[in-house]
Structures are given as C-alpha cells and as structure tokens.
C-alpha cells in the first residue's frame, strides 16, 4: 500500500509551508503500515548554513524519545525476574534513602519511598531543573555535574542518579504526575541491576540485534556529516539560530559521555527508531528474536495514572492521553483533536522528534526535526491528521 498522491501532496505542502515561514529548518517523516513503508519524505536542511539536506539517514538528537527505549530496558530486567516494579529505588541507589519533600521551604519526610513504578510513570515527585523550590535544587545538581565535566572530572550515570536522589521531591510519591528526571534514574538502575554499563546494555540487548547501527549516546567522527544541527526559531525577529547549549547535561556527542542519560541522551535516525518501534508493535518478537513478551508490552501501553494524577498531565499535546511506562497512550480521540485510534502510544523529544505507534492500524508515525521556539504540538497534530487521512 502507498498513500494517494493527494495525501502525499497535502503532507508535502504543509511541511514546506512551515519551512518557508521560517518555522523549520528541515524534517524527515516516515509512515510504516503492516511492516511496510507507505510514505517517506525529506525536507529542507539538516545544516542550514552549509546547505546539507535532510536525508533518510540523517541523525537526530532524540532527547526524550530516549525514554521509551530505557523503559524497554527496564522491562527486560523485569521479565528476567531481576527487579519488581514495586521495589524501592533505594534498594539499588543509596542516594534515594530517607528522601524528603519540600513545600514552601519546609522539608517533610516522605510517606513512602519512591519505587521503580513511580519512575516509569512520572509519579515520584522528582523534577527537572525549574523555577520552583524542588526545580531550583535539581538545577544546582545539574550545574555541579556540568562544572565537573568542564573541569575534566565527569560524573557517571549511577553517581549522577544518586546525586539526584538527594534532592527533595516536589510532592509525596504517588500524589501527582510531573515530568522529571525519573528516566535518568531508570538508566542508572539498569546499570546497577544488570552489572553492565548502561550504554553497553542497550547495545547488546537492543541496538545490535535490531541492527540499529546509528543509535548511541555519541556520534562517531565518520558519521558527523549526517548529524543534524539543532535550531532555535524566533518568529518575531525572523531569526534562525543554531542551538548549542548543554540542556540537561546533553553534551556535543563527540565522545561517549560519562553520564548516559536514559531520559534524553540518545542520537538516532528514523530508520533505526522504526526498527525499535516495529519490535514493540509486533508484540516484542522480530526475526525470530524475542525482546519482550506480548503481555509485557500490553502492560506497558496502558494508562497507569489515577484520575487524580492524570489531572496534572495537562500539557496541550497530552489532551486525551494517559501515561505509563514513559509513554503517552491515547484514551479519548475527541480530546486529542486528531483522527487517530484509541490505544495509540509513543512519545516525543524536546527538539521535536516524535513517534506514534498504533496497534489498531498497525501503523508507525515517525517525525525527525530539530527546532525550538515554535508550537510543536499543533505541527504534530496536523501531521498526524494528514497521516491518518491517508488510510
């Protein structure tokens, strides 16, 4: 099956208009149905200054699209009986012992300890660097880690997770939902429990067998000509500026980092990420190799939030969605505002990369972009509508 020329033209026009209006430097879009590609498009530039076009094998910073991969790694250990989702994190990382919650400057002991389940579902109370009390304290930990990196004393994945564990939580574990550093801690748990470097575990258990040859925490010199730049768009000023900051300790990808961020650290291509997505959509087995069991994947792609927790997952792009195991899951098509299927799941990255996997239609939607400063939720919502309109 290939989508109609009319549908292809609609997708082309929409993305090309975004580029013409200065909202986008380049993009890569793939639609895969029943294991076969039904659409692929490459648009604009991966390197605007040097006029390097986006290509099928362009490498993107995936940022939070790293999270579903880390979640799968955790569930592999779960299936081997090496952990329970109810385990307290302090069983593996001592920095999580005797945690406290901070509110209006007052520290209170936790009512119960943070569990692995809390980390998978973002209900732990852990935060990213932010303007509130807990966020400011977490920001200091990231500043300390960056200073150590720049001084030539880099902090590793497990040590960094233990440092984050000492930061007071924003709320009692299980009380609310809040996006935070949970999945970086999950990466450290994989390292501790497996006894392997986190990046090595991912390579051995996922990337090498799935032939994800361009996915890693760094980009080797021989591949950097395919590595997309990140851009920040200022529509008021009409400027497009390369973004080079070290957001969330994500560095320049020129070497393997000491801190391998399970929440945001991977670079990959749409070609590679499609292989990972197809593994999930196929029930965990690909080419005769079993990565996860069907029932485990069924568990992963269900909403795990209570109504009280779900009330805090109020982002525009999460309207109509639940959340669990580091992924959104569609529960209400009307609220989502696009023509998808109940049960569609996936996640997106800070620079705009996005994956949606639809078990009803056996469809994978994959988007590769690298931009800040533009409403990404509208862009993705319209693109998904165009994709589903082609079926």
């Amino acid at each position: 099956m290939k989508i109609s020329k009319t549908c292809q033209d609609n997708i082309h026009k929409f993305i090309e208009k975004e580029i013409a209006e200065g909202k986008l430097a380049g993009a890569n879009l793939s639609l895969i149905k029943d294991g076969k590609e039904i659409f692929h498009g490459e648009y604009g530039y991966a390197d605007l200054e040097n006029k390097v076009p986006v290509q099928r094998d362009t490498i993107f910073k995936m940022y939070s699209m790293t999270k579903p991969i880390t979640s799968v790694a955790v569930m592999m250990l779960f299936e081997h009986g090496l952990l329970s989702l109810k385990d307290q994190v302090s069983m593996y990382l001592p920095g999580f012992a005797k945690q406290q919650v901070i509110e209006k400057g007052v520290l209170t002991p936790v009512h119960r300890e943070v569990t692995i389940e809390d980390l998978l579902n973002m209900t732990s109370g852990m935060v990213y660097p932010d303007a509130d009390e807990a966020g400011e304290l977490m920001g200091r930990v990231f500043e300390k880690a960056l200073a150590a990196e720049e001084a030539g004393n880099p902090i590793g994945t497990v040590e960094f997770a233990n440092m984050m564990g000492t930061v007071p939580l924003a709320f009692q574990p299980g009380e609310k939902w809040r996006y935070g550093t949970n999945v970086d801690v999950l990466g450290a748990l994989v390292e501790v429990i497996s006894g392997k470097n986190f990046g090595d575990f991912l390579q051995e258990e996922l990337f090498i067998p799935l032939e994800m040859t361009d996915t890693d925490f760094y980009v080797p010199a021989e591949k950097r000509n395919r590595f997309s730049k990140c851009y920040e768009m200022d529509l008021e000023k009409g400027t497009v500026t390369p973004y080079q900051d070290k957001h969330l300790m994500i560095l320049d990808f020129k070497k393997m980092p000491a801190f391998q961020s399970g929440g945001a650290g991977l670079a990959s291509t749409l070609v590679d990420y499609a292989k990972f997505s197809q593994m999930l959509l196929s029930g965990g087995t690909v080419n005769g190799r079993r990565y996860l069991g069907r029932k485990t994947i069924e568990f992963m792609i269900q909403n795990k939030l209570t109504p009280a927790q779900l009330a805090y997952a109020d982002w525009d792009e999460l309207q109509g969605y639940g959340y669990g195991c580091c992924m959104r899951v569609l529960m209400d098509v009307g609220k989502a505002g696009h023509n998808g299927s109940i049960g569609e799941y996936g996640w997106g990255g800070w620079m705009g990369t996005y994956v949606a996997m639809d078990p009803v239609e056996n469809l994978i939607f994959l988007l590769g972009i690298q931009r800040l400063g533009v409403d990404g939720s509208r862009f993705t919502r319209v693109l998904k509508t165009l994709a589903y309109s082609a079926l």
Side-chain angles (χ1 to χ4, degrees):
M1 170 187 174
K2 291 289 182 181
I3 68 174
S4 71
K5 185 178 185 305
T6 298
C7 292
Q8 291 185 48
D9 289 344
N10 288 338
I11 293 172
H12 294 329
K13 289 175 183 177
F14 177 68
I15 297 177
E16 288 164 357
K17 183 173 182 288
E18 293 277 309
I19 292 173
E21 292 176 351
K23 298 178 181 178
L24 193 62
N28 203 333
L29 178 67
S30 291
L31 304 178
I32 300 162
K33 182 170 171 57
D34 300 326
K36 297 180 180 179
E37 184 176 276
I38 61 171
F39 177 85
H40 179 77
E42 300 157 13
Y43 309 88
Y45 297 102
D47 182 338
L48 198 56
E49 291 73 28
N50 295 301
K51 300 300 184 231
V52 178
V54 170
Q55 298 179 359
R56 181 180 287 273
D57 62 354
T58 292
I59 300 171
F60 299 97
K61 292 181 182 179
M62 288 295 172
Y63 281 101
S64 287
M65 271 176 66
T66 304
K67 288 179 170 70
I69 292 176
T70 302
S71 178
V72 165
V74 170
M75 299 310 289
M76 287 175 141
L77 298 177
F78 167 80
E79 282 201 337
H80 283 86
L82 298 176
L83 61 84
S84 166
L85 300 187
K86 302 290 185 180
D87 284 348
Q88 297 171 349
V89 178
S90 63
M91 290 172 57
Y92 309 99
L93 296 170
F96 283 76
K98 299 180 180 179
Q99 283 187 296
Q100 295 179 305
V101 175
I102 188 165
E103 186 176 6
K104 296 181 180 179
V106 177
L107 291 170
T108 306
V110 292
H111 297 160
R112 66 164 177 81
E113 290 200 23
V114 169
T115 66
I116 295 175
E117 184 177 44
D118 289 321
L119 300 179
L120 284 165
N121 299 332
M122 297 281 179
T123 56
S124 69
M126 296 191 73
V127 299
Y128 276 127
D130 209 340
D132 65 350
E133 295 170 298
E136 287 182 357
L137 293 171
M138 184 64 78
R140 294 176 193 173
V141 170
F142 275 80
E143 290 168 5
K144 182 178 179 180
L146 183 57
E149 176 73 31
E150 292 175 344
N153 301 304
I155 294 172
T157 306
V158 174
E159 182 183 357
F160 195 21
N162 277 309
M163 289 168 59
M164 289 190 282
T166 66
V167 176
L169 304 173
F171 52 81
Q172 290 290 343
E175 184 180 45
K176 303 176 184 179
W177 182 91
R178 179 163 168 178
Y179 204 59
T181 55
N182 301 266
V183 193
D184 290 323
V185 178
L186 288 174
L189 286 177
V190 171
E191 186 160 312
V192 170
I193 295 169
S194 71
K196 298 179 181 179
N197 172 276
F198 179 46
D200 290 344
F201 180 92
L202 294 180
Q203 287 291 340
E204 293 171 17
E205 301 297 331
L206 283 169
F207 303 156
I208 292 173
L210 282 171
E211 298 182 354
M212 296 171 65
T213 56
D214 289 323
T215 304
D216 212 334
F217 289 105
Y218 80 112
V219 178
E222 65 272 17
K223 297 182 179 181
R224 292 189 70 84
N225 63 319
R226 296 193 279 121
F227 192 26
S228 178
K229 287 186 177 180
C230 296
Y231 290 95
E232 187 163 11
M233 279 67 183
D234 188 323
L235 300 183
E236 290 186 4
K237 295 181 180 179
T239 59
V240 179
T241 309
Y243 183 87
Q244 298 174 321
D245 202 0
K246 298 177 177 65
H247 180 63
L248 298 179
M249 276 294 293
I250 308 305
L251 306 175
D252 59 12
F253 284 84
K254 290 182 179 179
K255 63 179 181 179
M256 181 65 75
F259 165 51
Q260 297 171 342
S261 169
L266 288 172
S268 188
T269 63
L270 262 61
V271 174
D272 274 10
Y273 212 96
K275 296 172 182 177
F276 170 76
S277 304
Q278 193 65 61
M279 180 273 291
L280 289 177
L281 205 54
S282 299
T285 299
V286 176
N287 296 327
R289 176 165 177 145
R290 181 186 183 278
Y291 297 85
L292 283 177
R294 176 177 57 84
K295 296 301 293 183
T296 298
I297 292 175
E298 287 179 9
F299 170 82
M300 291 178 69
I301 60 175
Q302 297 175 24
N303 171 54
K304 306 296 189 306
L305 303 184
T306 66
Q309 294 165 342
L310 195 57
Y312 291 91
D314 57 356
W315 301 355
D316 179 54
E317 57 266 43
L318 288 182
Q319 296 304 304
Y321 286 89
Y323 188 89
C325 290
C326 308
M327 293 183 286
R328 66 178 187 276
V329 55
L330 185 56
M331 300 166 62
D332 188 324
V333 173
K335 286 185 179 179
H338 63 79
N339 50 349
S341 305
I342 299 296
E344 171 250 296
Y345 61 96
W347 199 241
W350 186 59
M351 281 284 173
T353 54
Y354 191 93
V355 63
M357 293 162 275
D358 183 338
V360 175
E361 296 291 342
N362 199 16
L363 177 72
I364 298 168
F365 172 103
L366 270 168
L367 173 66
I369 61 175
Q370 303 274 256
R371 70 169 184 191
L372 288 177
V374 181
D375 179 8
S377 61
R378 182 185 185 278
F379 177 74
T380 307
R381 186 179 291 121
V382 172
L383 266 185
K384 287 174 75 175
T385 298
L386 292 173
Y388 277 104
S389 299
L391 302 181

